[in-house]
Amino acid sequence: MRSAVMAKLRFILGDHLSRNLASLRDIDKDHDIVLMAEVGGESTIVGFHKQKLVLIYSAMRHFAEALRAEGITVDYVSLDCPNNTQSLDGELKRALNRHDVETVVVTEPGAWRVRALMDKWEQNLGVPVEIREDDRFICSHERFSAWANGRKSLRMEFFYREMRRETGLLMTDSGPEGGQWNLDAENRSPLPPGHRAPERLRFSPDAETRRVIGLVRERYPDNFGEIEPFSWAVTRHDALRALDHFIAAALPGFGTYQDAMKSGEPFLHHGLLSAYLNIGLLGAEEVCAAAQRAYYAGDAPLNAAEGFIRQVLGWREYVRGIYWWKMPDYAQTNFLGAQRDLPWFYWSGETDMNCLANAIDDTRRHAYAHHIQRLMVTGNFALLAGIEPRQIEAWYLAVYIDAFDWVELPNVHGMVMFADGGLLASKPYAASGAYINRMSDYCAGCRYSPKVKDGENACPITLLYWNFLIENRRVLQANPRMAMAYRNLDRMDASAVQGMQQRATRFLDGLNAGVTTTNPPLQGELDL
């Protein structure tokens, strides 16, 4: 029997699976109750990849069992519970009817939409709701605002340097380790012939994960992606094993080859850790510390350790800061006025462009593609083709296992689509087929050639690159980082330029020709 002490209901979301979570840190195991709920309303915001749903639901169930093993009372509502309302609001209300509690404690969510819901809970439910800041991140909202307010330039590089100084990561008494803040110039090498990527540690589903796989297969048969083989970690124990394996086997080559791409090699030297970071199985500080230890132990070169730490301490913290500092208006911008519908091949993978076919196939099979595939293949095409930002943003949110609104939206909206007009990136990340040919082996197996300038074998990406410059000249030509591209364009014969525009228009108009299947839902999360 419980004592007269009033309990707190601690509501844990699916991306809050950390024992060091702010809303769990002071839990009273004798009186407080943890609520966890698998709700279909959050699962159908966009057509989430089946493996993403399996990861989150299985990790939630394993986290609940870990809490119970500590003696914590967990009220867990599964997706197939007959009385499940399939909404966060509904499950919180039902739990309040089941339990005699004095207050609800939550940690702020990763989506602006969910924060807006939380802000109404106290009034709507008639119980005090304490929303705690998510301090799993290194940079707080207040700290980011103090850095950003009043600045003319919000470049990540300057933010990153301050984070290095404050954390001491890869710092000496005289400044950055090695004398340079950023070693990105050393991290752009294509894979040499015969290069073998390291074998990556993957995980076999246990009985609980198998049950979740069956549930997702039954409930979401038409969602994007293959559900098996499912080989992601679903516990902190295995996530730590994945971190150790990356540091030992893949980090040494991560820096040099982090921009490289290769057919049939979806992982290469990349971390495969972002999903674990984003749902709470790993912490940002511990993964950065692990990379730093490897460097000081002589097990990884500086360009690898610095490049990895920059991705986490720099870029990850930066985009999260931008998201909460600029939302909700940030998502509504469309600087280049892009309006074209997302081509169906983003869902089907059926395209003769081998680079896109490879990246989308990797995504379909693993719910994963590394950052250059996302930025310079699927993202580059969306930028050049003028895809409406909200549509490509919904695609990224749906298909990638590590995509949550706070990290996906700024990356795609600002970095990929330049929809914020340069707040995040100093120029559009637009590239012709020559870049893809230099950084991958995709072009060798493609019916198109980046070296052919005209005709049916000419690379569509190169054609769209020049068309993109032409169509957006009014807003881009004053950008100093675009000056060389426009000088090259101006050297072209006027009739050749006109011909390119005509061919690009025909190509773009034919992207969805004959497609009658509708895309998976693109509403919900992006409707702010």
Side-chain angles (χ1 to χ4, degrees):
M1 178 179 294
R2 290 187 179 274
S3 72
V5 176
M6 292 297 289
K8 293 181 172 65
L9 183 67
R10 299 174 184 262
F11 196 0
I12 306 302
L13 305 184
D15 57 348
H16 285 171
L17 310 181
S18 168
R19 186 59 183 86
N20 193 39
L21 191 71
S23 51
L24 284 177
R25 206 169 292 143
D26 60 347
I27 191 168
D28 181 343
K29 297 179 182 180
D30 294 327
H31 302 98
D32 294 349
I33 301 161
V34 168
L35 171 65
M36 299 180 71
E38 304 167 3
V39 294
E42 295 299 305
S43 306
T44 54
I45 288 165
V46 291
F48 288 121
H49 197 296
K50 297 184 186 76
Q51 289 190 35
K52 185 174 186 177
L53 295 173
V54 173
L55 172 71
I56 293 172
Y57 290 153
S58 181
M60 287 176 67
R61 294 180 182 198
H62 285 86
F63 186 69
E65 284 307 305
L67 293 178
R68 290 183 179 121
E70 284 189 53
I72 295 171
T73 300
V74 180
D75 182 352
Y76 196 96
V77 182
S78 63
L79 186 69
D80 54 355
C81 173
N83 297 320
N84 190 335
T85 63
Q86 307 300 340
S87 73
L88 295 175
D89 292 27
E91 288 315 297
L92 178 56
K93 183 177 181 179
R94 286 206 313 130
L96 289 172
N97 289 333
R98 289 193 297 271
H99 305 291
D100 185 16
V101 297
E102 63 177 351
T103 189
V104 173
V105 181
V106 293
T107 297
E108 65 179 1
W112 182 274
R113 173 189 59 84
V114 180
R115 177 58 198 247
L117 290 177
M118 283 186 176
D119 288 338
K120 298 176 183 177
W121 282 350
E122 184 164 307
Q123 178 180 349
N124 291 346
L125 299 174
V127 63
V129 177
E130 180 186 353
I131 304 175
R132 297 181 179 178
E133 182 172 357
D134 191 350
D135 57 9
R136 296 175 298 167
F137 291 87
I138 296 169
C139 182
S140 68
H141 299 319
E142 291 75 17
R143 176 67 186 90
F144 187 86
S145 295
W147 174 80
N149 286 331
R151 281 183 173 264
K152 292 182 179 180
S153 174
L154 294 175
R155 296 293 167 255
M156 187 277 291
E157 178 65 24
F158 305 121
F159 169 80
Y160 169 57
R161 293 181 185 187
E162 290 203 16
M163 291 297 99
R164 288 271 296 276
R165 291 188 186 100
E166 290 183 12
T167 61
L169 285 164
L170 293 181
M171 295 293 291
T172 67
D173 291 340
S174 58
E177 190 71 46
Q180 292 179 260
W181 290 101
N182 186 322
L183 298 176
D184 192 48
E186 299 180 22
N187 295 352
R188 300 173 184 171
S189 298
L191 295 172
H195 180 85
R196 296 187 64 179
E199 285 287 326
R200 305 309 300 271
L201 179 64
R202 307 299 280 161
F203 302 90
S204 298
D206 63 6
E208 188 61 52
T209 302
R210 281 281 166 207
R211 282 189 282 271
V212 173
I213 288 172
L215 178 63
V216 171
R217 181 182 281 118
E218 176 187 350
R219 291 286 181 115
Y220 305 104
D222 298 325
N223 278 40
F224 178 82
E226 300 294 331
I227 199 168
E228 294 193 85
F230 181 88
S231 54
W232 296 94
V234 295
T235 65
R236 173 160 171 80
H237 175 267
D238 281 349
L240 286 169
R241 289 177 60 204
L243 171 61
D244 290 344
H245 178 77
F246 163 69
I247 295 295
L251 179 62
F254 169 79
T256 303
Y257 302 123
Q258 67 172 281
D259 285 6
M261 298 174 283
K262 185 178 181 181
S263 301
E265 292 285 358
F267 305 141
L268 294 174
H269 292 265
H270 290 271
L272 311 185
L273 302 174
S274 51
Y276 310 141
L277 280 164
N278 292 350
I279 66 173
L281 299 184
L282 294 177
E285 290 175 289
E286 70 182 334
V287 301
C288 289
Q292 177 175 255
R293 285 194 300 271
Y295 166 68
Y296 285 127
D299 296 329
L302 181 58
N303 71 317
E306 187 278 322
F308 178 76
I309 288 171
R310 179 164 20 95
Q311 293 291 326
V312 180
L313 176 66
W315 194 252
R316 184 175 184 267
E317 296 285 331
Y318 170 76
V319 296
R320 190 243 186 182
I322 290 286
Y323 179 87
W324 287 106
W325 188 59
K326 297 298 290 184
M327 286 292 279
D329 294 339
Y330 183 76
Q332 311 305 323
T333 56
N334 188 354
F335 179 73
L336 298 178
Q339 297 294 335
R340 188 164 282 106
D341 286 337
L342 186 72
W344 176 247
F345 67 70
Y346 272 80
W347 301 105
S348 70
E350 297 171 356
T351 173
D352 288 338
M353 291 174 283
N354 197 43
C355 56
L356 283 152
N358 266 270
I360 293 169
D361 187 57
D362 286 346
T363 302
R364 179 183 61 80
R365 290 185 295 117
H366 304 291
Y368 175 85
H370 68 71
H371 70 281
I372 294 299
Q373 290 174 307
R374 300 189 202 191
L375 176 62
M376 301 309 298
V377 178
T378 54
N380 183 50
F381 186 89
L383 172 68
L384 300 181
I387 305 305
E388 183 188 15
R390 288 166 69 90
Q391 293 191 39
I392 187 64
E393 288 156 16
W395 183 80
Y396 276 95
L397 184 66
V399 303
Y400 289 117
I401 201 162
D402 55 1
F404 292 86
D405 203 47
W406 64 267
V407 65
E408 174 275 323
L409 181 61
N411 267 298
V412 182
H413 198 77
M415 190 73 168
V416 170
M417 298 303 294
F418 205 67
D420 62 8
L423 177 73
L424 204 90
S426 58
K427 74 174 185 68
Y429 274 81
S432 70
Y435 172 86
I436 295 171
N437 192 34
R438 183 170 66 253
M439 297 306 300
S440 77
D441 64 353
Y442 294 153
C443 297
C446 188
R447 63 159 285 194
Y448 302 112
S449 171
K451 298 178 181 178
V452 177
K453 296 184 179 180
D454 198 1
E456 64 179 20
N457 292 326
C459 176
I461 292 174
T462 298
L463 179 66
L464 293 182
Y465 171 76
W466 294 112
N467 186 67
F468 171 82
L469 294 179
I470 295 165
E471 287 192 339
N472 294 286
R473 182 162 198 154
R474 182 182 61 83
V475 293
L476 294 180
Q477 65 180 350
N479 186 320
R481 295 196 65 194
M482 301 294 292
M484 181 176 293
Y486 279 106
R487 283 197 297 269
N488 290 336
L489 178 64
D490 289 339
R491 294 189 185 104
M492 295 183 180
D493 180 78
S495 61
V497 170
Q498 184 179 23
M500 284 192 301
Q501 286 183 281
Q502 293 171 347
R503 292 191 299 277
T505 298
R506 287 196 299 270
F507 177 82
L508 292 169
D509 287 347
L511 281 176
N512 280 324
V515 173
T516 57
T517 308
T518 57
N519 285 355
L522 298 177
Q523 69 279 357
E525 181 79 36
L526 305 180
D527 289 339
L528 299 166

